[in-house]
Amino acid sequence: DSARSSARARRAMELPTLFLATLAEHVNVKSAHRRLIGFARVLVTITFAEDAWRMVTDYAVQVKTMQELVEHGTNIVPSWLTTAMPAISACVQAFGVAAVVFDWR
């Protein structure tokens, strides 16, 4: 019984190694790496684009949130800047999205 469980445990430990070896034999790692970088770039870009869009479409809510943070003393932004901060944030994020999409360097 202990010999069987020991053999099973050895096989279980070997499975990840076998999987990685088989994967390395059948997958071009450089090509997969390039694709993953491209996919990650798309995900980050979409996240920033969505956040910029939310800043613009929910502008009043964003300003109200900033003003509430100032009232509670938890915001480091001066109160006179709270109405501009969502717009500034949206512009910075939109510029970042454009830089990635148009490959500006």
XYZ file of all heavy atoms in Angstrom:
818
model
N 0.811 -1.202 0.000
C 0.000 0.000 0.000
C 0.857 1.270 0.000
O 0.574 2.207 -0.716
C -0.905 0.018 1.224
C -2.358 -0.207 0.867
O -2.661 -0.327 -0.333
O -3.175 -0.251 1.793
N 1.883 1.292 0.849
C 2.737 2.477 0.909
C 3.549 2.633 -0.371
O 3.848 3.744 -0.799
C 3.648 2.442 2.126
O 4.636 1.454 1.965
N 3.895 1.514 -1.000
C 4.626 1.568 -2.270
C 3.754 2.175 -3.358
O 4.216 2.977 -4.165
C 5.105 0.178 -2.680
N 2.467 1.792 -3.352
C 1.529 2.352 -4.345
C 1.327 3.849 -4.124
O 1.332 4.620 -5.060
C 0.177 1.639 -4.269
C 0.144 0.337 -4.952
C -1.256 -0.181 -4.957
N -1.278 -1.528 -5.478
C -2.321 -2.311 -5.460
N -3.442 -1.881 -4.903
N -2.266 -3.513 -5.972
N 1.118 4.239 -2.882
C 0.894 5.662 -2.601
C 2.158 6.472 -2.887
O 2.085 7.614 -3.353
C 0.424 5.873 -1.163
O 1.416 5.465 -0.261
N 3.310 5.864 -2.652
C 4.568 6.541 -2.955
C 4.733 6.725 -4.464
O 5.147 7.791 -4.933
C 5.734 5.737 -2.393
O 6.945 6.324 -2.755
N 4.378 5.692 -5.233
C 4.455 5.785 -6.693
C 3.466 6.823 -7.211
O 3.776 7.588 -8.122
C 4.179 4.417 -7.321
N 2.269 6.847 -6.626
C 1.254 7.837 -7.021
C 1.747 9.255 -6.729
O 1.564 10.159 -7.537
C -0.048 7.584 -6.266
C -1.172 7.203 -7.178
C -2.457 7.045 -6.430
N -2.618 5.614 -6.173
C -3.203 5.073 -5.142
N -3.727 5.831 -4.203
N -3.291 3.787 -5.011
N 2.343 9.435 -5.589
C 2.854 10.752 -5.211
C 3.963 11.192 -6.165
O 4.022 12.355 -6.569
C 3.375 10.732 -3.781
N 4.834 10.236 -6.558
C 5.903 10.550 -7.506
C 5.330 10.965 -8.859
O 5.783 11.921 -9.473
C 6.828 9.338 -7.663
C 8.283 9.688 -7.504
C 9.220 8.500 -7.617
N 9.004 7.535 -6.534
C 8.587 6.276 -6.703
N 8.375 5.794 -7.897
N 8.391 5.486 -5.676
N 4.319 10.222 -9.323
C 3.687 10.551 -10.610
C 3.023 11.927 -10.548
O 3.084 12.696 -11.489
C 2.668 9.488 -10.999
C 3.255 8.327 -11.754
C 2.154 7.498 -12.337
N 1.249 7.064 -11.273
C 1.057 5.815 -10.876
N 1.681 4.840 -11.480
N 0.241 5.526 -9.900
N 2.379 12.219 -9.436
C 1.713 13.511 -9.279
C 2.728 14.650 -9.326
O 2.453 15.714 -9.869
C 0.931 13.555 -7.974
N 3.912 14.412 -8.778
C 4.947 15.440 -8.807
C 5.546 15.580 -10.202
O 5.991 16.651 -10.583
C 6.051 15.113 -7.797
C 5.600 15.309 -6.361
S 6.791 14.756 -5.126
C 8.250 15.622 -5.612
N 5.536 14.494 -10.962
C 6.117 14.519 -12.296
C 5.183 15.161 -13.324
O 5.648 15.643 -14.348
C 6.458 13.090 -12.744
C 7.593 12.480 -11.969
C 7.782 10.997 -12.274
O 6.991 10.443 -13.063
O 8.718 10.403 -11.730
N 3.877 15.162 -13.060
C 2.912 15.689 -14.035
C 3.190 17.138 -14.439
O 3.207 17.450 -15.626
C 1.482 15.529 -13.518
C 0.899 14.127 -13.654
C -0.492 14.069 -13.034
C 0.854 13.700 -15.101
N 3.401 18.046 -13.503
C 3.704 19.418 -13.926
C 4.965 19.506 -14.784
O 5.021 20.245 -15.765
C 3.875 20.182 -12.613
C 3.145 19.390 -11.602
C 3.266 17.961 -12.048
N 5.983 18.730 -14.431
C 7.225 18.730 -15.197
C 6.982 18.196 -16.606
O 7.468 18.767 -17.583
C 8.291 17.875 -14.481
O 8.424 18.359 -13.147
C 9.618 17.947 -15.190
N 6.218 17.116 -16.695
C 5.889 16.553 -18.009
C 5.065 17.531 -18.834
O 5.283 17.696 -20.035
C 5.127 15.230 -17.848
C 5.947 14.048 -17.352
C 5.030 12.871 -17.048
C 6.984 13.662 -18.385
N 4.110 18.180 -18.179
C 3.275 19.152 -18.877
C 4.124 20.287 -19.446
O 3.982 20.669 -20.609
C 2.201 19.708 -17.941
C 1.427 20.840 -18.538
C 0.470 20.603 -19.517
C 1.655 22.146 -18.133
C -0.240 21.643 -20.075
C 0.944 23.190 -18.693
C -0.012 22.928 -19.665
N 5.013 20.838 -18.624
C 5.859 21.944 -19.080
C 6.806 21.510 -20.194
O 7.039 22.260 -21.148
C 6.648 22.534 -17.911
C 5.807 23.293 -16.886
C 6.673 23.722 -15.706
C 5.120 24.472 -17.513
N 7.336 20.291 -20.093
C 8.223 19.795 -21.144
C 7.469 19.622 -22.453
O 7.954 20.005 -23.526
C 8.852 18.480 -20.714
N 6.264 19.070 -22.388
C 5.438 18.887 -23.587
C 5.049 20.241 -24.170
O 5.088 20.443 -25.384
C 4.168 18.082 -23.242
O 4.558 16.861 -22.650
C 3.337 17.817 -24.469
N 4.710 21.156 -23.314
C 4.349 22.501 -23.764
C 5.525 23.175 -24.465
O 5.359 23.773 -25.529
C 3.898 23.338 -22.562
C 3.306 24.701 -22.839
C 1.994 24.554 -23.604
C 3.054 25.440 -21.545
N 6.707 23.065 -23.888
C 7.907 23.674 -24.474
C 8.234 23.070 -25.838
O 8.741 23.762 -26.721
C 9.090 23.517 -23.532
N 7.936 21.786 -26.017
C 8.207 21.135 -27.297
C 7.254 21.594 -28.395
O 7.632 21.633 -29.565
C 8.074 19.609 -27.155
C 9.184 18.958 -26.382
C 8.931 17.464 -26.182
O 8.034 16.909 -26.851
O 9.627 16.873 -25.347
N 6.033 21.943 -28.028
C 5.009 22.223 -29.022
C 4.654 23.700 -29.187
O 3.882 24.062 -30.055
C 3.740 21.450 -28.683
C 3.906 19.968 -28.838
N 4.520 19.197 -27.884
C 3.567 19.135 -29.844
C 4.541 17.942 -28.279
N 3.964 17.867 -29.466
N 5.199 24.554 -28.340
C 4.850 25.978 -28.386
C 6.109 26.799 -28.623
O 7.120 26.602 -27.963
C 4.170 26.412 -27.075
C 3.941 27.909 -27.056
C 2.866 25.676 -26.885
N 6.013 27.729 -29.562
C 7.092 28.671 -29.790
C 7.004 29.736 -28.701
O 6.114 30.581 -28.717
C 6.958 29.294 -31.180
C 8.083 30.246 -31.488
O 8.776 30.719 -30.595
N 8.247 30.536 -32.761
N 7.912 29.692 -27.750
C 7.844 30.554 -26.578
C 7.955 32.032 -26.959
O 7.233 32.873 -26.434
C 8.925 30.161 -25.544
C 8.915 31.102 -24.363
C 8.718 28.732 -25.087
N 8.828 32.369 -27.898
C 8.981 33.772 -28.309
C 7.694 34.296 -28.913
O 7.263 35.418 -28.631
C 10.132 33.926 -29.302
C 11.487 33.865 -28.659
C 12.569 34.164 -29.658
C 13.925 34.113 -28.992
N 15.004 34.469 -29.910
N 7.065 33.493 -29.756
C 5.811 33.902 -30.380
C 4.711 34.058 -29.333
O 3.954 35.031 -29.356
C 5.393 32.873 -31.426
O 4.130 33.188 -31.952
N 4.634 33.110 -28.413
C 3.623 33.189 -27.355
C 3.871 34.409 -26.481
O 2.925 35.107 -26.090
C 3.649 31.911 -26.517
N 5.139 34.705 -26.203
C 5.474 35.869 -25.371
C 5.032 37.159 -26.053
O 4.448 38.044 -25.430
C 6.986 35.874 -25.096
C 7.413 36.954 -24.167
N 7.977 38.116 -24.608
C 7.339 37.044 -22.824
C 8.240 38.889 -23.574
N 7.867 38.254 -22.475
N 5.303 37.272 -27.350
C 4.881 38.466 -28.091
C 3.367 38.624 -28.068
O 2.844 39.723 -27.907
C 5.372 38.391 -29.539
C 6.792 38.855 -29.690
C 7.167 39.017 -31.163
N 8.480 38.419 -31.333
C 8.729 37.303 -32.002
N 7.772 36.673 -32.615
N 9.943 36.835 -32.072
N 2.665 37.508 -28.249
C 1.195 37.571 -28.230
C 0.673 37.957 -26.853
O -0.283 38.729 -26.744
C 0.608 36.235 -28.669
C 0.787 35.993 -30.134
C 0.177 34.702 -30.563
N 0.419 34.482 -31.979
C 0.252 33.344 -32.577
N -0.164 32.298 -31.897
N 0.494 33.219 -33.855
N 1.281 37.414 -25.817
C 0.846 37.763 -24.466
C 1.111 39.230 -24.158
O 0.296 39.886 -23.509
C 1.546 36.865 -23.434
C 1.026 35.439 -23.358
C 1.892 34.619 -22.400
C -0.422 35.401 -22.935
N 2.234 39.751 -24.619
C 2.513 41.174 -24.417
C 1.468 42.014 -25.147
O 0.957 42.993 -24.609
C 3.942 41.527 -24.891
C 4.960 40.970 -23.913
C 4.111 43.034 -25.045
C 6.394 41.157 -24.343
N 1.146 41.627 -26.364
C 0.110 42.344 -27.112
C -1.235 42.275 -26.425
O -1.954 43.276 -26.335
N -1.595 41.099 -25.909
C -2.858 40.934 -25.203
C -2.887 41.778 -23.937
O -3.891 42.430 -23.636
C -3.077 39.452 -24.880
C -4.394 39.154 -24.249
C -5.576 39.375 -24.942
C -4.465 38.637 -22.967
C -6.804 39.099 -24.362
C -5.678 38.357 -22.381
C -6.854 38.583 -23.081
N -1.787 41.787 -23.191
C -1.700 42.604 -21.973
C -1.832 44.081 -22.316
O -2.519 44.834 -21.610
C -0.385 42.341 -21.255
N -1.218 44.502 -23.404
C -1.316 45.897 -23.838
C -2.773 46.262 -24.154
O -3.247 47.336 -23.781
C -0.427 46.118 -25.058
C -0.457 47.539 -25.563
C 0.456 47.708 -26.735
N 1.808 47.883 -26.220
C 2.859 48.100 -26.955
N 2.753 48.139 -28.266
N 4.036 48.283 -26.416
N -3.473 45.353 -24.803
C -4.891 45.588 -25.121
C -5.706 45.719 -23.842
O -6.523 46.639 -23.702
C -5.438 44.454 -26.017
C -6.956 44.490 -26.094
C -4.841 44.541 -27.412
N -5.490 44.822 -22.881
C -6.247 44.870 -21.637
C -5.999 46.161 -20.858
O -6.939 46.784 -20.364
C -5.916 43.656 -20.766
C -6.409 42.308 -21.269
C -5.961 41.198 -20.322
C -7.915 42.288 -21.426
N -4.743 46.564 -20.754
C -4.426 47.798 -20.029
C -5.028 49.003 -20.742
O -5.600 49.897 -20.109
C -2.895 47.943 -19.861
C -2.524 49.325 -19.362
C -2.365 46.882 -18.923
N -4.925 49.008 -22.057
C -5.466 50.125 -22.835
C -6.975 50.222 -22.676
O -7.521 51.312 -22.478
C -5.087 49.969 -24.322
O -3.666 49.874 -24.408
C -5.560 51.143 -25.146
N -7.653 49.086 -22.736
C -9.109 49.093 -22.569
C -9.486 49.577 -21.176
O -10.451 50.335 -21.015
C -9.685 47.690 -22.847
C -9.617 47.393 -24.341
C -11.116 47.556 -22.344
C -9.971 45.973 -24.716
N -8.724 49.181 -20.165
C -9.001 49.616 -18.798
C -8.895 51.130 -18.674
O -9.779 51.781 -18.103
C -8.025 48.937 -17.812
O -8.192 47.531 -17.907
C -8.262 49.394 -16.394
N -7.832 51.706 -19.233
C -7.673 53.158 -19.169
C -8.733 53.877 -20.005
O -9.243 54.927 -19.595
C -6.269 53.577 -19.607
C -5.251 53.405 -18.525
C -4.317 52.379 -18.595
C -5.219 54.256 -17.438
C -3.388 52.208 -17.587
C -4.293 54.091 -16.430
C -3.370 53.061 -16.502
N -9.065 53.337 -21.168
C -10.098 53.959 -22.013
C -11.448 53.941 -21.300
O -12.180 54.934 -21.304
C -10.186 53.235 -23.348
N -11.761 52.820 -20.670
C -13.035 52.710 -19.944
C -13.073 53.694 -18.784
O -14.086 54.337 -18.527
C -13.216 51.267 -19.448
C -14.526 51.012 -18.733
C -14.497 51.363 -17.254
O -13.428 51.263 -16.622
O -15.558 51.766 -16.733
N -11.970 53.839 -18.074
C -11.934 54.756 -16.936
C -12.063 56.206 -17.397
O -12.773 57.001 -16.773
C -10.658 54.562 -16.127
C -10.754 55.193 -14.748
O -11.791 54.998 -14.084
O -9.791 55.867 -14.342
N -11.399 56.549 -18.490
C -11.530 57.917 -19.029
C -12.971 58.174 -19.452
O -13.522 59.251 -19.185
C -10.582 58.113 -20.210
N -13.590 57.190 -20.095
C -14.990 57.332 -20.525
C -15.897 57.524 -19.309
O -16.793 58.359 -19.315
C -15.407 56.105 -21.335
C -16.817 56.154 -21.793
C -17.875 55.456 -21.294
C -17.354 56.962 -22.839
N -19.021 55.776 -21.959
C -18.731 56.696 -22.914
C -16.790 57.882 -23.721
C -19.558 57.321 -23.835
C -17.625 58.501 -24.643
C -18.971 58.219 -24.701
N -15.662 56.752 -18.253
C -16.458 56.870 -17.035
C -16.280 58.250 -16.403
O -17.236 58.850 -15.926
C -16.056 55.773 -16.041
C -16.891 55.752 -14.782
C -16.485 54.612 -13.860
N -15.052 54.524 -13.626
C -14.387 55.280 -12.772
N -15.009 56.208 -12.079
N -13.082 55.124 -12.610
N -15.056 58.763 -16.418
C -14.807 60.101 -15.865
C -15.623 61.161 -16.606
O -16.161 62.077 -15.994
C -13.324 60.463 -15.961
C -12.438 59.693 -15.053
S -12.544 60.331 -13.399
C -11.361 59.295 -12.599
N -15.691 61.017 -17.914
C -16.412 62.009 -18.729
C -17.923 61.855 -18.582
O -18.638 62.837 -18.409
C -15.991 61.891 -20.215
C -16.858 62.731 -21.106
C -14.520 62.269 -20.368
N -18.409 60.612 -18.634
C -19.868 60.409 -18.603
C -20.465 60.567 -17.213
O -21.637 60.903 -17.088
C -20.243 59.022 -19.170
O -19.574 58.012 -18.428
C -19.882 58.933 -20.642
N -19.690 60.323 -16.155
C -20.166 60.506 -14.774
C -19.452 61.679 -14.114
O -19.109 61.630 -12.937
C -19.899 59.240 -13.953
C -20.790 58.085 -14.327
O -21.821 58.322 -14.974
O -20.447 56.940 -13.973
N -19.243 62.728 -14.873
C -18.431 63.858 -14.403
C -18.951 64.432 -13.089
O -18.179 64.657 -12.143
C -18.373 64.941 -15.479
C -17.329 65.979 -15.200
C -15.997 65.718 -15.461
C -17.658 67.208 -14.646
C -15.016 66.657 -15.196
C -16.682 68.150 -14.380
C -15.369 67.873 -14.653
O -14.409 68.795 -14.373
N -20.256 64.647 -12.994
C -20.830 65.246 -11.779
C -20.597 64.350 -10.567
O -20.286 64.844 -9.464
C -22.316 65.500 -11.975
N -20.721 63.048 -10.747
C -20.490 62.108 -9.646
C -19.025 62.135 -9.220
O -18.714 62.112 -8.023
C -20.913 60.678 -10.058
C -20.539 59.668 -8.995
C -22.398 60.631 -10.352
N -18.124 62.218 -10.193
C -16.699 62.266 -9.882
C -16.350 63.526 -9.085
O -15.610 63.464 -8.101
C -15.865 62.219 -11.175
C -16.073 60.976 -11.995
C -15.649 59.721 -11.271
O -14.664 59.717 -10.544
N -16.382 58.644 -11.465
N -16.904 64.662 -9.498
C -16.652 65.929 -8.791
C -17.213 65.857 -7.381
O -16.548 66.259 -6.413
C -17.257 67.121 -9.574
C -17.213 68.396 -8.743
C -16.519 67.314 -10.882
N -18.419 65.317 -7.254
C -19.046 65.202 -5.927
C -18.189 64.324 -5.010
O -17.985 64.658 -3.841
C -20.451 64.618 -6.066
C -21.184 64.510 -4.767
C -22.563 63.900 -4.949
C -23.196 63.711 -3.587
N -24.214 62.701 -3.583
N -17.689 63.224 -5.526
C -16.843 62.337 -4.724
C -15.583 63.068 -4.276
O -15.175 62.965 -3.109
C -16.464 61.081 -5.537
O -17.655 60.413 -5.931
C -15.596 60.141 -4.732
N -14.958 63.800 -5.202
C -13.752 64.559 -4.843
C -14.069 65.587 -3.758
O -13.298 65.755 -2.805
C -13.190 65.267 -6.076
C -12.683 64.360 -7.163
S -11.104 63.635 -6.823
C -10.038 65.037 -6.947
N -15.203 66.285 -3.879
C -15.571 67.296 -2.890
C -15.854 66.670 -1.525
O -15.493 67.233 -0.494
C -16.770 68.098 -3.384
C -16.413 69.013 -4.533
C -17.621 69.655 -5.188
O -18.744 69.198 -5.036
N -17.365 70.714 -5.952
N -16.480 65.494 -1.525
C -16.735 64.804 -0.252
C -15.425 64.393 0.416
O -15.300 64.465 1.640
C -17.622 63.577 -0.483
C -19.056 63.931 -0.792
C -19.888 62.723 -1.196
O -19.334 61.602 -1.292
O -21.102 62.906 -1.410
N -14.460 63.967 -0.387
C -13.159 63.601 0.183
C -12.467 64.812 0.791
O -11.821 64.718 1.839
C -12.277 62.961 -0.887
C -12.711 61.573 -1.360
C -11.879 61.136 -2.565
C -12.608 60.558 -0.241
N -12.606 65.977 0.146
C -12.028 67.205 0.688
C -12.707 67.559 2.009
O -12.050 67.914 2.991
C -12.149 68.370 -0.326
C -11.836 69.697 0.339
C -11.233 68.135 -1.512
N -14.047 67.433 2.058
C -14.792 67.749 3.280
C -14.374 66.864 4.449
O -14.332 67.310 5.588
C -16.291 67.606 3.033
C -16.874 68.679 2.142
C -18.314 68.393 1.736
O -18.918 67.435 2.266
O -18.823 69.126 0.871
N -14.063 65.600 4.159
C -13.663 64.665 5.216
C -12.173 64.753 5.521
O -11.673 64.068 6.409
C -14.027 63.234 4.831
C -15.497 62.987 4.743
N -16.406 63.507 5.629
C -16.229 62.277 3.853
C -17.612 63.125 5.306
N -17.546 62.381 4.220
N -11.464 65.562 4.763
C -10.041 65.736 5.006
C -9.182 64.582 4.519
O -8.037 64.444 4.932
N -9.727 63.751 3.636
C -8.962 62.600 3.148
C -8.437 62.800 1.734
O -7.890 61.881 1.138
C -9.824 61.321 3.168
O -11.007 61.552 2.407
C -10.203 60.944 4.586
N -8.584 63.977 1.178
C -8.136 64.242 -0.188
C -7.002 65.250 -0.143
O -7.094 66.279 0.523
C -9.299 64.786 -1.022
C -9.009 64.755 -2.501
O -7.900 64.470 -2.916
N -10.017 65.059 -3.290
N -5.938 64.979 -0.852
C -4.794 65.891 -0.853
C -4.937 66.994 -1.905
O -4.116 67.884 -1.986
C -3.477 65.133 -1.056
C -3.484 64.371 -2.380
C -3.204 64.197 0.102
C -2.141 63.781 -2.753
N -5.983 66.913 -2.715
C -6.221 67.910 -3.757
C -6.914 69.115 -3.126
O -7.871 68.953 -2.361
C -7.110 67.310 -4.878
C -7.476 68.349 -5.902
C -6.406 66.136 -5.519
N -6.467 70.326 -3.425
C -7.143 71.518 -2.895
C -8.595 71.584 -3.394
O -8.899 71.145 -4.510
C -6.342 72.687 -3.450
C -5.107 72.115 -4.017
C -5.325 70.673 -4.248
N -9.476 72.129 -2.590
C -10.905 72.147 -2.924
C -11.187 72.879 -4.238
O -12.085 72.485 -4.988
C -11.721 72.764 -1.793
O -11.289 74.089 -1.560
N -10.414 73.920 -4.545
C -10.659 74.664 -5.783
C -10.317 73.845 -7.028
O -10.734 74.179 -8.132
C -9.886 75.987 -5.788
C -8.401 75.824 -5.628
C -7.711 75.828 -4.459
C -7.443 75.622 -6.664
N -6.369 75.643 -4.692
C -6.177 75.511 -6.054
C -7.516 75.536 -8.050
C -5.005 75.303 -6.770
C -6.352 75.326 -8.759
C -5.120 75.214 -8.137
N -9.576 72.755 -6.857
C -9.166 71.936 -7.985
C -10.076 70.717 -8.202
O -9.953 70.022 -9.204
C -7.717 71.482 -7.759
C -6.937 70.877 -8.905
C -6.920 71.803 -10.119
C -5.521 70.555 -8.473
N -11.020 70.496 -7.291
C -11.845 69.284 -7.376
C -12.688 69.213 -8.646
O -12.942 68.126 -9.148
C -12.767 69.143 -6.154
O -13.568 70.312 -6.039
C -11.970 68.904 -4.891
N -13.127 70.349 -9.167
C -13.938 70.299 -10.392
C -13.097 70.007 -11.624
O -13.601 69.461 -12.595
C -14.706 71.622 -10.607
O -13.812 72.711 -10.439
C -15.866 71.751 -9.656
N -11.822 70.327 -11.588
C -10.958 70.090 -12.744
C -10.295 68.711 -12.722
O -9.933 68.186 -13.775
C -9.882 71.166 -12.809
N -10.138 68.117 -11.546
C -9.397 66.859 -11.441
C -9.968 65.717 -12.290
O -9.200 65.023 -12.962
C -9.287 66.421 -9.977
C -8.190 67.136 -9.224
S -6.564 67.014 -10.012
C -6.176 65.307 -9.749
N -11.281 65.497 -12.301
C -11.785 64.426 -13.171
C -11.475 64.674 -14.649
O -11.141 63.744 -15.387
C -13.288 64.416 -12.903
C -13.419 64.963 -11.521
C -12.341 66.007 -11.427
N -11.550 65.926 -15.079
C -11.238 66.249 -16.479
C -9.753 66.035 -16.762
O -9.381 65.483 -17.808
C -11.635 67.688 -16.793
N -8.912 66.455 -15.830
C -7.467 66.257 -15.997
C -7.156 64.761 -16.058
O -6.399 64.306 -16.920
C -6.691 66.951 -14.852
C -6.842 68.465 -14.953
C -5.230 66.541 -14.851
C -6.378 69.222 -13.725
N -7.754 64.002 -15.159
C -7.540 62.551 -15.135
C -7.997 61.907 -16.441
O -7.294 61.062 -17.008
C -8.296 61.938 -13.959
O -8.160 60.542 -13.960
N -9.169 62.297 -16.937
C -9.683 61.742 -18.202
C -8.747 62.077 -19.362
O -8.476 61.221 -20.211
C -11.088 62.256 -18.471
N -8.238 63.310 -19.388
C -7.317 63.710 -20.462
C -6.007 62.926 -20.410
O -5.510 62.469 -21.440
C -7.030 65.204 -20.389
S -8.429 66.228 -20.863
N -5.466 62.772 -19.218
C -4.209 62.022 -19.073
C -4.410 60.575 -19.512
O -3.587 60.012 -20.246
C -3.688 62.100 -17.619
C -2.575 61.101 -17.374
C -3.229 63.512 -17.297
N -5.517 59.975 -19.094
C -5.774 58.590 -19.473
C -6.035 58.458 -20.974
O -5.550 57.511 -21.613
C -6.951 58.033 -18.680
C -6.593 57.858 -17.215
C -7.700 57.241 -16.431
O -7.993 56.073 -16.603
N -8.318 58.041 -15.564
N -6.784 59.389 -21.540
C -7.045 59.347 -22.982
C -5.742 59.517 -23.770
O -5.540 58.851 -24.787
C -8.050 60.427 -23.366
N -4.863 60.389 -23.297
C -3.571 60.565 -23.958
C -2.756 59.274 -23.882
O -2.116 58.883 -24.857
C -2.792 61.722 -23.328
C -1.463 61.954 -23.985
C -1.387 62.634 -25.192
C -0.294 61.483 -23.415
C -0.156 62.837 -25.819
C 0.931 61.677 -24.019
C 0.995 62.354 -25.230
N -2.780 58.611 -22.723
C -2.073 57.337 -22.571
C -2.615 56.279 -23.516
O -1.851 55.528 -24.133
N -3.923 56.227 -23.666
C -4.548 55.277 -24.597
C -4.100 55.583 -26.024
O -3.710 54.683 -26.777
C -6.087 55.314 -24.475
C -6.743 54.567 -25.627
C -6.528 54.728 -23.141
N -4.137 56.848 -26.402
C -3.714 57.239 -27.752
C -2.242 56.906 -27.977
O -1.866 56.444 -29.059
C -3.966 58.734 -27.971
N -1.413 57.112 -26.968
C 0.014 56.811 -27.103
C 0.243 55.331 -27.365
O 1.093 54.959 -28.178
C 0.760 57.248 -25.842
N -0.520 54.490 -26.703
C -0.374 53.046 -26.916
C -0.942 52.642 -28.273
O -0.311 51.916 -29.032
C -1.046 52.254 -25.777
C -1.104 50.768 -26.107
C -0.317 52.479 -24.462
N -2.141 53.142 -28.579
C -2.806 52.753 -29.827
C -2.002 53.195 -31.045
O -1.839 52.435 -32.002
C -4.234 53.323 -29.889
C -4.852 53.171 -31.265
C -5.117 52.639 -28.839
N -1.472 54.417 -31.008
C -0.737 54.942 -32.155
C 0.781 54.727 -32.046
O 1.540 55.239 -32.864
C -1.061 56.422 -32.365
C -2.515 56.637 -32.689
C -3.344 57.275 -31.789
C -3.023 56.199 -33.893
C -4.674 57.463 -32.066
C -4.374 56.381 -34.187
C -5.200 57.018 -33.272
N 1.192 53.998 -31.004
C 2.590 53.632 -30.801
C 3.507 54.858 -30.783
O 4.544 54.878 -31.427
C 3.047 52.613 -31.852
C 4.285 51.865 -31.413
O 4.529 51.776 -30.199
O 5.024 51.385 -32.293
N 3.091 55.883 -30.019
C 3.920 57.079 -29.872
C 5.051 56.775 -28.917
O 4.860 56.215 -27.864
C 3.111 58.244 -29.334
C 2.045 58.727 -30.259
C 1.954 58.531 -31.602
C 0.892 59.471 -29.888
N 0.831 59.111 -32.100
C 0.156 59.712 -31.078
C 0.406 59.986 -28.698
C -1.034 60.414 -31.085
C -0.773 60.683 -28.714
C -1.476 60.897 -29.888
N 6.238 57.171 -29.274
C 7.399 56.939 -28.390
C 8.176 58.200 -28.225
O 8.239 59.075 -28.967
C 8.299 55.862 -28.980
C 7.574 54.541 -28.958
C 8.426 53.457 -29.576
N 7.604 52.298 -29.744
C 7.915 51.104 -29.306
N 9.041 50.919 -28.709
N 7.123 50.091 -29.481
